[in-house]
Amino acid sequence: MIYAMSDLHGCFEKYSKMLLMIDLKENDTLYILGDIVDRGADGIKIILDLITRKNVIALQGNHDYKAELMLNRLMESEEATAKIKIDKQFAFWISDGGLPTYESFLRLEQQEKLMVLNYLRKMPFSKMLIIDGKKYFLSHTVPEKEYMPENPEQCRKKALILGEPDYEKIYFKDITLVTGHTPTILIDKHFQGKIWRGNNHIAIDCGAAFGNNLGCICLDTGEEFYVE
Ligand SMILES: [Mn+2]
């Protein structure tokens, strides 16, 4: 079975409960569509767990990207570390949910720091899947339809982590988009804490970091799973 969830944002408990709920087997694959870190307390703890799992693949979200940039600079040199404190981008990251990520990174052993950074650096941005003959394009987000190339795999990385999808438009007749990034309540207020589907698009960020459910979908069966 192939599963997808998104926007864990440091919610380690919801993530662990979901792994138990879907009963992830060795032959299953779970895709996490980005934003592992920031907001919640345990993003770094989730990454350390992901590193040990062969069948869980996390795509990069805008928060993972930002954390990679910032933590990378912290590791460069003492000089860079001293400078970062007066950097506007750093201040913005800290205020935009980065604080718990930054603080828990500082508490890691050197070896763990390198492992976490290496993981963040190697996160892919998208994944095309064919399940039962149907195509699915998984990414943290997608750009507006007019900026989406005919082959979504050629989409610019920045648009795949920061884009603003047109949920009311069908992008592809033969490809279903699966994305996170936007809590589904912002797509339709009736979908608070629920997976949203429409226009060949499945939106799976149920807003776990904001006190809503963590949602997960089995792409083979369409079954939805929720952890409160
Ligand atoms: Mn995001």
Side-chain angles (χ1 to χ4, degrees), residues 7 9 35 61-63 140 161 181:
D7 293 76
H9 278 304
D35 282 4
N62 53 311
H63 281 270
H140 185 55
I161 60 168
H181 188 56

Side-chain angles (χ1 to χ4, degrees), residues 1-3 24-30 55:
M1 293 291 165
I2 294 176
Y3 298 90
L24 192 71
K25 300 277 200 300
E26 236 175 82
N27 291 334
D28 297 333
T29 307
L30 166 63
N55 57 341

Side-chain angles (χ1 to χ4, degrees), residues 38 63-76 80-81 84 87-94 98 101-102 105 117 120:
D38 294 357
H63 281 270
D64 312 310
Y65 176 73
K66 199 64 179 286
E68 180 201 331
L69 283 184
M70 294 296 128
L71 300 176
N72 199 25
R73 277 167 56 187
L74 281 177
M75 295 292 280
E76 271 171 16
T81 305
I84 205 170
D87 183 288
K88 272 189 197 159
Q89 253 203 86
F90 179 75
F92 178 76
W93 176 53
I94 291 297
T101 309
Y102 171 66
F105 186 80
L117 250 188
L120 286 168

Side-chain angles (χ1 to χ4, degrees), residues 123-177:
M123 289 170 88
F125 288 84
S126 67
K127 178 73 188 177
M128 186 76 93
L129 294 172
I130 299 176
I131 303 167
D132 269 346
K134 287 186 191 156
K135 281 186 185 174
Y136 295 85
F137 182 74
L138 282 55
S139 57
H140 185 55
T141 183
V142 290
E144 292 161 278
K145 193 185 173 195
E146 61 180 306
Y147 298 111
M148 179 60 108
E150 266 176 53
N151 175 358
E153 289 178 295
Q154 287 168 358
C155 191
R156 288 164 54 240
K157 285 174 184 176
K158 204 174 173 191
L160 293 175
I161 60 168
L162 282 168
E164 301 270 357
D166 291 318
Y167 293 99
E168 72 283 5
K169 290 182 186 166
I170 295 174
Y171 282 62
F172 302 102
K173 281 195 184 127
D174 58 342
I175 305 170
T176 301
L177 301 175

Side-chain angles (χ1 to χ4, degrees), residues 4-144:
M5 58 169 114
S6 191
D7 293 76
L8 300 177
H9 278 304
C11 300
F12 186 84
E13 267 187 44
K14 287 180 180 175
Y15 159 72
S16 315
K17 282 183 187 167
M18 186 59 87
L19 288 177
L20 292 175
M21 186 182 277
I22 62 177
D23 191 20
L24 192 71
K25 300 277 200 300
E26 236 175 82
N27 291 334
D28 297 333
T29 307
L30 166 63
Y31 289 91
I32 302 175
L33 310 188
D35 282 4
I36 310 298
V37 299
D38 294 357
R39 304 204 199 290
D42 296 317
I44 297 288
K45 190 172 167 187
I46 297 174
I47 289 182
L48 290 170
D49 179 84
L50 291 174
I51 287 169
T52 68
R53 295 179 189 271
K54 285 196 179 123
N55 57 341
V56 183
I57 296 162
L59 309 181
Q60 197 168 62
N62 53 311
H63 281 270
D64 312 310
Y65 176 73
K66 199 64 179 286
E68 180 201 331
L69 283 184
M70 294 296 128
L71 300 176
N72 199 25
R73 277 167 56 187
L74 281 177
M75 295 292 280
E76 271 171 16
S77 65
E78 282 182 28
E79 202 184 333
T81 305
K83 252 192 190 162
I84 205 170
K85 304 251 162 91
I86 51 164
D87 183 288
K88 272 189 197 159
Q89 253 203 86
F90 179 75
F92 178 76
W93 176 53
I94 291 297
S95 68
D96 189 34
L99 184 62
T101 309
Y102 171 66
E103 287 183 338
S104 45
F105 186 80
L106 292 185
R107 287 195 292 270
L108 298 177
E109 305 286 339
Q110 184 71 4
Q111 187 60 26
E112 287 175 318
K113 284 182 182 170
L114 292 171
M115 280 163 59
V116 166
L117 250 188
N118 198 40
Y119 188 86
L120 286 168
R121 280 186 198 132
K122 287 187 173 166
M123 289 170 88
F125 288 84
S126 67
K127 178 73 188 177
M128 186 76 93
L129 294 172
I130 299 176
I131 303 167
D132 269 346
K134 287 186 191 156
K135 281 186 185 174
Y136 295 85
F137 182 74
L138 282 55
S139 57
H140 185 55
T141 183
V142 290
E144 292 161 278

